[in-house]
Amino acid sequence: MAKKLGMTIDLKRCMGCHTCSLGCKMQNNVPMGMLWNRILTIGGEDVDTARGEFPSLEKSWMPLSCLHCENASCVKVCPVGATYRDEDGRVLINYDRCIGCRYCMAACPYNVRVFNWQKPVREPGHSYGEAPVRAKGIMEKCTLCVERTAKGQEPRCVEVCPAKARKFGDLNDPNSEVSKAIRERGGQQLLAEKGTKPQVYYLR
Amino acid sequence: MENRGNLKMSLGILGLLTLLGLIAWVYQLSNGLIVTGMRNVVSWGLYITSFMFFVGLSAGGLIVSSSATVFDIPAFKAVAKPAVILSTVCIILAGLFIVVDLGSPERILYLFIHPQFQSPLIWDVVVIAIYLVVSLLYLKHMTQPAPDYRKLATMSAVALPAAVLVHSVTAWIFGLQIARVSWHSALMAPLFVASALDSGLALLIIVLAGLERYSDYKVEPKLYASLAGLLAAFVAVDAFFVFSEVLTAAYPGEESVTAALGLLLSGPLAPFFWVQVVLGLAVPFVILASAANRQSKSKILLAAALVIIGVFCKRVWLLFSSFLLPLVEGAPGITLGQAPAAGAKLDMWAMAGSYTPTLVEWAIFIGIISFGGIMFIIAARRLLWAREDTARGIRIAPTAAK
Ligand code: SF4
Ligand code: SF4
């Protein structure tokens, strides 16, 4: 059976340290001024603030990047087929094809796509990754670290998370770590009512 | 003739503005879309607003003129020619607004080489292309010395549905997106067609008056009254759809829809929403509903201008009502996509969308519209002014004709 690569993110484990966000940025040579993977503080007014009324306060985080939807709105709307789903279920962008119409950005229900509004600026010495660099006028976003995962490695965010909140694997394999976690912990998809069927599940 | 001097001067000014727009576009090409007010949160702006607006203006004109033939309304046949010229020019402008909006316009041919037919944008490319061809053929047939009425009838039978379709497809670009609550509505296409009808007809009325004033083109005064009556009906339909849409959105009180609605009713988009509702729908309707007012050309023109302004405002609130609020909430929000200037404090986050068009965008906007003005004047001169001469079967170059 074909693979359906996916991820689980354990929100009980995530401690909002932003390590995965920066690991991603370096791995993928993400230009300055944008991130493929960002950590949102749930409900709080500002970063790392609690929600609720004293004394019933709570604080938690939700990492957010492309969720690699099975029924991806971005893939449907791309007029030139630059955004596509590969055979392992990753949603990818062909940087040589994208015309920069930004329709996909309007169509994604999660605000996870980022666009090169200008000639990308990268901090010298901070480009370690294998990902090809993108040009001005092109869309980009999380690729599930296709350069790594195609070789059987884990995505960088999974590897660097000090709290081991992230797991990566094949959702079509019922015995994979991710499938088990989704079953046992009742994995949830973000905005499931939109029907996009994300392949990244949150464990709450 | 004094008109000729005027004409030269207006062509000169329009040419200058077009040139300015072109320079602004070159500047945008070399720096990227960073020179616009658009960023990752509000990723479409004035260009796409204008795209919708001009598709509407165009469709409206063609619907009026082709229904003249399809439904055999002799009075309207008189305006068919200027109407088709107008809609051809407007659809070209709409296309140009897409071109300037692209981040990588040098790849625009990919739309034709690698079309992906699941995308409503490709549907739009297809129908706009058909529409343009139909308009041009229609125009060609219409301006023959001895037009073949059977052919004209066939052409208009194609043109009418094409015009309705072109605006529906433009609506579906937005209406089919489940991600954006204020777009995702089955009423989107009717809503767009309604504003196409009223704004397109309003523009036609204004252009007819302009042609009368600045050329030898003559319109029967009675025609204004009947076009104005039609405009009143179109405005009423538009108002009905807007009301129905807003009521359907408001009634359930669902959280995300209510938030988007709040933007319109009392938020940052309220000026656009209320200008459209009051000045763009209510006032023109009140003016045009009275038969006495429909005899006054100046009142009709005032109402028509208000309708056009109103429909532009409608485009604004429709587009941005879905862009200002983040789709997934949480601090620090969304990265804007702009690298901080050297030494500046890192400010790449936004919790909500905001957008103001930059000077570059305005220059390109004005440039494209001026270019449209030039195209219209030249086409009108060739196809309308020279009418008498061609009718006699003598083809005289338009410049030599005067
Ligand atoms: S999260 Fe957005 S960008 Fe990623 S696959 Fe889904 S719709 Fe596309
Ligand atoms: S911006 Fe690029 S990837 Fe996105 S829809 Fe347009 S062409 Fe496709």
Side-chain angles (χ1 to χ4, degrees):
Chain A
M1 188 158 55
K3 276 194 203 165
K4 188 162 96 186
L5 294 179
M7 203 187 279
T8 57
I9 305 176
D10 190 338
L11 299 187
K12 287 222 167 77
R13 281 182 166 268
C14 175
M15 53 187 187
C17 68
H18 299 257
T19 308
C20 57
S21 176
L22 294 179
C24 164
K25 184 157 179 117
M26 293 215 247
Q27 162 67 27
N28 294 299
N29 299 314
V30 180
M32 298 193 51
M34 61 178 89
L35 290 171
W36 284 5
N37 176 16
R38 53 204 158 90
I39 315 304
L40 302 178
T41 301
I42 300 177
E45 272 164 26
D46 214 328
V47 183
D48 295 347
T49 53
R51 62 179 181 275
E53 284 287 327
F54 181 81
S56 49
L57 292 169
E58 260 183 301
K59 184 155 78 175
S60 59
W61 296 268
M62 181 177 73
L64 182 63
S65 52
C66 173
L67 305 170
H68 297 272
C69 307
E70 192 174 344
N71 178 25
S73 340
C74 58
V75 172
K76 277 191 210 163
V77 299
C78 180
V80 293
T83 292
Y84 64 100
R85 213 164 163 264
D86 79 355
E87 60 279 13
D88 292 336
R90 302 178 191 89
V91 173
L92 298 176
I93 302 171
N94 177 349
Y95 305 126
D96 297 326
R97 180 71 69 80
C98 172
I99 60 173
C101 67
R102 311 187 298 296
Y103 195 3
C104 53
M105 207 166 201
C108 168
Y110 309 101
N111 283 135
V112 295
R113 290 183 158 248
V114 286
F115 187 68
N116 285 289
W117 301 95
Q118 63 197 130
K119 192 165 169 289
V121 185
R122 294 187 174 81
E123 194 81 74
H126 278 254
S127 298
Y128 303 115
E130 303 140 273
V133 294
R134 284 78 53 188
K136 175 187 87 195
I138 303 295
M139 193 60 69
E140 54 180 80
K141 64 162 195 71
C142 158
T143 62
L144 270 183
C145 282
V146 60
E147 290 79 15
R148 292 171 54 84
T149 49
K151 290 189 295 201
Q153 293 172 309
E154 292 186 316
R156 189 66 89 190
C157 57
V158 176
E159 186 190 68
V160 299
C161 175
K164 294 201 170 16
R166 290 173 179 261
K167 289 193 173 80
F168 170 76
D170 181 5
L171 299 174
N172 277 346
D173 172 4
N175 297 316
S176 67
E177 253 193 309
V178 279
S179 297
K180 273 192 222 152
I182 292 167
R183 245 185 351 255
E184 283 157 19
R185 297 274 307 273
Q188 291 174 6
Q189 292 166 316
L190 190 58
L191 304 181
E193 72 277 9
K194 302 272 181 197
T196 42
K197 297 200 201 153
Q199 289 164 201
V200 175
Y201 287 77
Y202 291 98
L203 310 175
R204 289 175 204 265
Chain B
M1 217 171 143
E2 61 150 343
N3 271 350
R4 266 197 77 186
N6 273 344
L7 190 71
K8 271 209 175 130
M9 196 161 87
S10 23
L11 277 179
I13 293 173
L14 290 176
L16 210 65
L17 291 173
T18 308
L19 192 68
L20 268 178
L22 207 59
I23 294 172
W25 188 45
V26 171
Y27 177 73
Q28 176 184 300
L29 282 178
S30 57
N31 289 282
L33 290 171
I34 195 85
V35 301
T36 69
M38 297 182 275
R39 292 295 180 270
N40 284 342
V41 191
V42 181
S43 47
W44 277 339
L46 180 62
Y47 301 148
I48 296 291
T49 310
S50 317
F51 162 70
M52 298 195 259
F53 182 61
F54 277 96
V55 171
L57 289 179
S58 169
L62 200 64
I63 290 171
V64 172
S65 63
S66 52
S67 51
T69 317
V70 174
F71 302 117
D72 199 24
I73 314 171
F76 291 177
K77 280 188 190 161
V79 300
K81 237 193 279 182
V84 177
I85 299 178
L86 193 62
S87 47
T88 312
V89 168
C90 286
I91 201 71
I92 294 175
L93 297 193
L96 290 178
F97 276 110
I98 286 289
V99 175
V100 297
D101 185 67
L102 293 183
S104 302
E106 71 279 5
R107 296 182 178 171
I108 190 161
L109 284 182
Y110 289 3
L111 285 172
F112 305 96
I113 310 173
H114 306 292
Q116 199 265 107
F117 287 100
Q118 239 188 333
S119 168
L121 209 65
I122 288 293
W123 309 346
D124 221 12
V125 169
V126 172
V127 289
I128 286 181
I130 295 178
Y131 181 79
L132 191 60
V133 171
V134 170
S135 313
L136 287 173
L137 280 179
Y138 195 26
L139 201 58
K140 188 169 157 266
H141 280 293
M142 222 186 280
T143 50
Q144 294 292 312
D148 175 345
Y149 282 101
R150 261 215 356 258
K151 266 194 193 145
L152 265 187
T154 329
M155 297 299 310
S156 46
V158 179
L160 184 56
V164 174
L165 201 61
V166 82
H167 213 43
S168 305
V169 170
T170 304
W172 290 327
I173 290 185
F174 305 92
L176 300 183
Q177 298 315 317
I178 196 166
R180 310 272 172 179
V181 284
S182 69
W183 296 349
H184 189 237
S185 154
L187 205 57
M188 214 43 139
L191 206 61
F192 269 51
V193 173
S195 10
L197 288 174
D198 57 12
S199 65
L201 180 56
L203 182 67
L204 182 63
I205 292 175
I206 291 178
V207 165
L208 287 179
L211 278 174
E212 263 201 312
R213 189 171 153 88
Y214 296 107
S215 81
D216 327 328
Y217 190 80
K218 282 284 158 284
V219 185
E220 249 191 275
K222 258 200 359 236
L223 188 63
Y224 283 109
S226 48
L227 287 178
L230 192 61
L231 184 58
F234 287 167
V235 168
V237 171
D238 197 348
F240 169 64
F241 282 152
V242 170
F243 178 75
S244 172
E245 174 77 4
V246 170
L247 180 66
T248 311
Y251 189 81
E254 197 268 335
E255 200 180 347
S256 59
V257 183
T258 307
L261 209 59
L263 295 172
L264 301 185
L265 301 180
S266 53
L269 297 173
F272 297 97
F273 182 75
W274 292 113
V275 163
Q276 194 229 339
V277 169
V278 178
L279 290 183
L281 293 173
V283 174
F285 184 77
V286 170
I287 296 179
L288 296 173
S290 122
N293 285 344
R294 288 202 299 272
Q295 299 308 320
S296 146
K297 202 165 133 186
S298 55
K299 280 189 186 144
I300 296 177
L301 287 178
L302 171 70
L306 287 175
V307 168
I308 293 180
I309 295 171
V311 168
F312 189 81
C313 290
K314 180 178 175 186
R315 305 305 189 193
V316 172
W317 65 253
L318 261 175
L319 184 74
F320 294 104
S321 56
S322 264
F323 269 128
L324 298 183
L325 301 171
L327 301 175
V328 180
E329 279 176 39
I334 300 166
T335 60
L336 286 170
Q338 175 175 23
K345 203 175 134 266
L346 195 71
D347 190 13
M348 52 180 254
W349 296 98
M351 288 287 279
S354 64
Y355 169 77
T356 319
T358 59
L359 267 184
V360 176
E361 280 168 287
W362 284 119
I364 293 180
F365 172 79
I366 292 170
I368 291 182
I369 292 176
S370 307
F371 180 60
I374 296 177
M375 283 194 290
F376 183 82
I377 292 176
I378 292 179
R381 247 169 89 72
R382 278 181 184 263
L383 303 173
L384 301 177
W385 269 244
R387 198 168 43 155
E388 271 77 65
D389 312 309
T390 48
R392 272 184 270 122
I394 320 160
R395 226 174 150 75
I396 305 169
T399 32
K402 294 274 150 177

